[in-house]
Amino acid sequence: MSIEFDTKFEPAYGESVPVAKGIARLTVNNPSAFTFHGTNSYIVGRDTLAVIDPGPEDEAQFQALVKAIAGRPVSHIFVSHTHRDHSPLAARLAQETGAIVAAEGPHRPARPLRIGEINPLDASADMDFKPDLALKDGDVVEGDGWRISTVLTPGHAANHAAFGLEGTGILFSADHVMAWATSIVAPPDGAMSDYMDSLDRLLERDDRLFLPGHGGAVTKPRSFLRGLKAHRKMRERAILERVKTGDRTVREMVAAIYRDTDPRLHGAAGLSVLAHLEDLVGRGAVTTDGEVSIDGRFSPAH
């Protein structure tokens, strides 16, 4: 199954854009190859509000949120995960509004770092973040006219969560599922096996609309999720084929598989290949000497 990405999106920086009944989106002016046009924050409710993913420490975004909140009480701030484009502004907004900050937990890698290993995504991690309320899978937080449920979706980050707006069929899918591109899964920050399991979790649900952390809405979630799974399986087959034809390093595989990709993304592509290789080694399809690493050499299992 092929997947069609939707890159049509108007960020409307600094403005509160209605996207569904009782939901407004504000997009941070932090565009990049990894954030698309910027990070989406969401305001839920009419009287007492919830804010989802306030964004990075950015003065313009803080002022835009305060303007959109317009003096109404904010009871909760939900944070999907602790990458610096999503979580840092939560502390300042909580101080301003008195809201409870809710999330799965502090930042952590998907697995312990190995001897001599450095996490290349450390700079993107918000290590200062600590929620007031630690959310478990299935936890429901009730507000004034809204109920938000927690759906843990590790993969892109170990502490990644999506949030369902109960009774609406709307899921705030953050960076796990986005219409414009696939999610980055980069060890040791994330794990491919977790990511694939999380896709299956969402396929078991019956959501009608995903509102992601970057870009526009996913309007047909089930078919899009199936497409994402097929895309990852196709990438896995391509990596296996490269290993079988003689590629031994991540660099060689990236050069072949991502030859038509923006070179600025080749570093992230290498980490994505590594995530697949971790999974393949764990399942016994590929071998390597010692621990799986970005500088390792890989061979087909015999």
Side-chain angles (χ1 to χ4, degrees):
M1 178 182 293
S2 63
I3 184 168
E4 293 185 9
F5 294 110
D6 182 0
T7 57
K8 298 185 298 292
F9 181 70
E10 173 52 59
Y13 299 128
E15 297 181 21
S16 175
V17 178
V19 291
K21 185 178 179 180
I23 304 173
R25 181 186 67 220
L26 290 87
T27 302
V28 188
N29 189 2
N30 63 335
S32 74
F34 301 102
T35 60
F36 194 36
H37 289 295
T39 303
N40 293 330
S41 301
Y42 295 96
I43 296 176
V44 179
R46 297 180 60 183
D47 298 320
T48 299
L49 309 176
V51 175
I52 297 175
D53 281 353
E57 185 56 64
D58 180 275
E59 183 63 28
Q61 173 68 357
F62 178 75
Q63 296 299 334
L65 284 167
V66 169
K67 180 181 177 182
I69 289 165
R72 291 172 290 178
V74 179
S75 63
H76 292 82
I77 297 167
F78 293 88
V79 172
S80 65
H81 64 296
T82 45
H83 286 155
R84 286 189 175 275
D85 58 322
H86 289 262
S87 59
L89 201 57
R92 186 176 174 193
L93 190 64
Q95 186 175 26
E96 175 77 13
T97 62
I100 294 168
V101 178
E104 190 270 356
H107 192 82
R108 66 182 188 279
R111 57 163 174 76
L113 267 66
R114 295 165 182 142
I115 294 172
E117 185 178 23
I118 296 172
N119 184 353
L121 297 183
D122 264 349
S124 69
D126 180 7
M127 303 303 293
D128 296 326
F129 179 85
K130 291 181 177 60
D132 303 313
L133 175 63
L135 298 171
K136 300 186 297 296
D137 192 56
D139 280 355
V140 176
V141 175
E142 295 200 32
D144 183 5
W146 48 262
R147 299 174 76 243
I148 290 177
S149 60
T150 303
V151 186
L152 296 187
T153 49
H156 172 69
N159 63 355
H160 194 287
F163 300 110
L165 187 57
E166 296 284 281
T168 67
I170 294 173
L171 184 82
F172 298 93
S173 57
D175 285 10
H176 183 58
V177 178
M178 302 175 289
W180 75 283
T182 56
S183 179
I184 293 171
V185 181
D189 223 44
M192 188 60 67
S193 57
D194 289 344
Y195 176 82
M196 297 300 284
D197 288 345
S198 294
L199 288 181
D200 286 335
R201 290 212 59 216
L202 295 193
L203 273 167
E204 294 169 359
R205 295 172 55 87
D206 193 26
D207 300 299
R208 65 176 180 83
L209 185 73
F210 286 177
L211 296 176
H214 306 274
V218 177
T219 57
K220 296 179 180 178
R222 291 190 66 79
S223 61
F224 195 78
L225 286 165
R226 288 193 292 268
L228 283 177
K229 280 195 67 177
H231 176 85
R232 294 290 184 176
K233 289 294 185 184
M234 179 182 69
R235 185 69 74 216
E236 178 184 284
R237 288 194 297 272
I239 291 167
L240 269 173
E241 186 61 31
R242 296 310 309 174
V243 172
K244 289 177 180 177
T245 56
D247 286 358
R248 293 292 172 260
T249 67
V250 169
R251 184 183 294 274
E252 290 171 330
M253 297 175 212
V254 169
I257 297 170
Y258 291 90
R259 57 184 174 274
D260 297 325
T261 299
D262 184 343
R264 293 179 300 165
L265 298 176
H266 278 197
L271 292 171
S272 180
V273 169
L274 180 64
H276 277 291
L277 287 166
E278 271 195 347
D279 191 29
L280 289 165
V281 170
R283 287 155 43 199
V286 171
T287 63
T288 187
D289 293 333
E291 301 280 8
V292 179
S293 74
I294 194 74
D295 298 319
R297 295 186 63 80
F298 301 89
S299 303
H302 298 296

